Amino acid sequence: MKPAAVVGAGTMGNGIAHVMAQAGAEVQLVDLSSELLDRGMATIAKNMERQVKKARMTAEQRDASLARIHPSTDIGAVGGAALIVEAVTETPEVKFEVFGAIDAAAENGAILATNTSSISITEIAAATGRPERVIGMHFMNPVPMMPLVEIIRGLQTSDETVATVAETAKALGKTPVEVNDYPGFVSNRVIMPMINEACFCVMEGVAEPEAVDDVMKLGMNHPMGPLALADLIGLDVCLHILNVLHEGLGDDKYRPCPLLRKMVAAGRLGRKSGRGFHDYS
Ligand code: NAD
């Protein structure tokens, strides 16, 4: 694999760097401080160790993979990469600024991909001078485990960029699925209304959260109920994405459930706060 870079060493960024290094790429990993980079590297080492224990990787492969990841606080480090994947905080202003900086530092031919869950690829591309080489590369959490990469084509993304990124996803052992740039893409446009409807079921007293999740697990063969999934994603993140769908598509069928709003206002954000629809204390 050609040299790559990942900007943002958080939940998604460290997972993306992990799979790239495992596939043989030299990876520059950029974040704002050495503490954040240390935390990202420690997570990668821990997750690779788990793979070694499960005999999915040898100790030598782990050491070689870790040695291919080069942490840096300098955005200029993306300079030698053929593919740069951005996985910073999901705030439009932050993304646009980071993309401006990546565009300035990257080689002319480099592809700039974003892991955004909800921001328009076309708008992010407009913050650069190379919209034809900007694309959505939406990995799923946890990255080393989940096979899908949703590849999102912005209005100006070239066929060549789509083909290169799809090939790269395959080289990472993932399955690329191509979609067009509309609010929520396919993944969140389909899953978020289901989560929202599950919230309405609880609000209207149709069933308790456990019952809603049991119906979907045992009756529909879902590995996890929609409310447990919402707790895992974070209720604040679900509310944010529903707002993006509601505003972007202008259809009231995406209006966020008032109970979801109330839980976010109360700080019941799911697993990360210890309590959401279910109790994790
Ligand atoms: P996170 O908060 O865990 O990590 C974001 C990282 O970006 C942090 O380490 C932060 O310090 C860093 N960062 C912020 N500004 C930066 C800058 N200017 N330069 C370099 N680094 C910077 O977030 P996450 O959950 O990893 O999400 C990252 C992206 O992935 C978001 O766009 C999110 O929507 C998307 N996403 C998240 C999930 C998920 O389940 N968490 C799933 C799919 C997609």
Side-chain angles (χ1 to χ4, degrees), residues 153-231:
R153 184 190 270 271
L155 190 63
Q156 301 185 76
T157 309
S158 71
D159 291 343
E160 194 186 342
T161 298
V162 172
T164 305
V165 167
E167 279 312 310
T168 304
K170 285 183 200 161
L172 299 176
K174 306 294 182 196
T175 302
V177 177
E178 192 189 323
V179 312
N180 284 314
D181 182 27
Y182 282 100
F185 319 133
V186 169
S187 48
N188 283 315
R189 182 147 175 190
V190 173
I191 200 70
M192 285 301 160
M194 188 183 72
I195 286 174
N196 203 33
E197 207 56 38
C199 299
F200 274 108
C201 283
V202 175
M203 186 180 84
E204 292 170 8
V206 179
E208 294 294 322
E210 291 71 21
V212 172
D213 280 352
D214 281 347
V215 167
M216 299 307 290
K217 277 190 297 183
L218 305 175
M220 316 300 164
N221 226 3
H222 289 202
M224 189 183 250
L227 296 170
L229 178 60
D231 281 351

Side-chain angles (χ1 to χ4, degrees), residues 10-12 31 36 87-90 95 98 115 117 138-139 141:
T11 308
M12 297 304 288
D31 207 310
L36 292 160
V88 305
T89 319
E90 185 77 349
K95 297 266 194 214
V98 167
N115 191 50
S117 307
H138 189 202
F139 290 84
N141 185 17

Side-chain angles (χ1 to χ4, degrees), residues 6-149:
V6 179
V7 183
T11 308
M12 297 304 288
N14 73 58
I16 298 166
H18 174 148
V19 295
M20 284 176 158
Q22 195 179 343
E26 294 293 331
V27 186
Q28 302 292 329
L29 180 60
V30 180
D31 207 310
L32 295 172
S33 72
S34 46
E35 290 75 30
L36 292 160
L37 289 163
D38 288 348
R39 205 185 304 163
M41 290 301 292
T43 303
I44 298 171
K46 188 182 77 193
N47 290 337
M48 287 189 179
E49 183 57 30
R50 198 173 296 151
Q51 288 175 294
V52 171
K53 287 212 171 94
K54 289 183 174 168
R56 296 195 178 130
M57 191 191 243
T58 65
E60 291 71 35
Q61 286 168 332
R62 173 200 60 201
D63 294 346
S65 299
L66 282 172
R68 281 192 284 269
I69 305 177
H70 312 285
S72 175
T73 53
D74 175 14
I75 195 73
V78 307
L83 170 67
I84 299 147
V85 182
E86 167 277 315
V88 305
T89 319
E90 185 77 349
T91 308
E93 298 68 39
V94 174
K95 297 266 194 214
F96 299 149
E97 195 189 318
V98 167
F99 259 81
I102 296 173
D103 190 32
E107 280 176 7
N108 282 341
I111 291 175
L112 279 41
T114 172
N115 191 50
T116 181
S117 307
S118 65
I119 299 168
S120 161
I121 308 304
T122 307
E123 270 184 58
I124 292 175
T128 75
R130 62 179 95 192
E132 70 287 354
R133 284 194 297 284
V134 176
I135 191 163
M137 206 173 177
H138 189 202
F139 290 84
M140 303 290 127
N141 185 17
V143 179
M145 307 282 295
M146 298 292 276
L148 174 68
V149 179

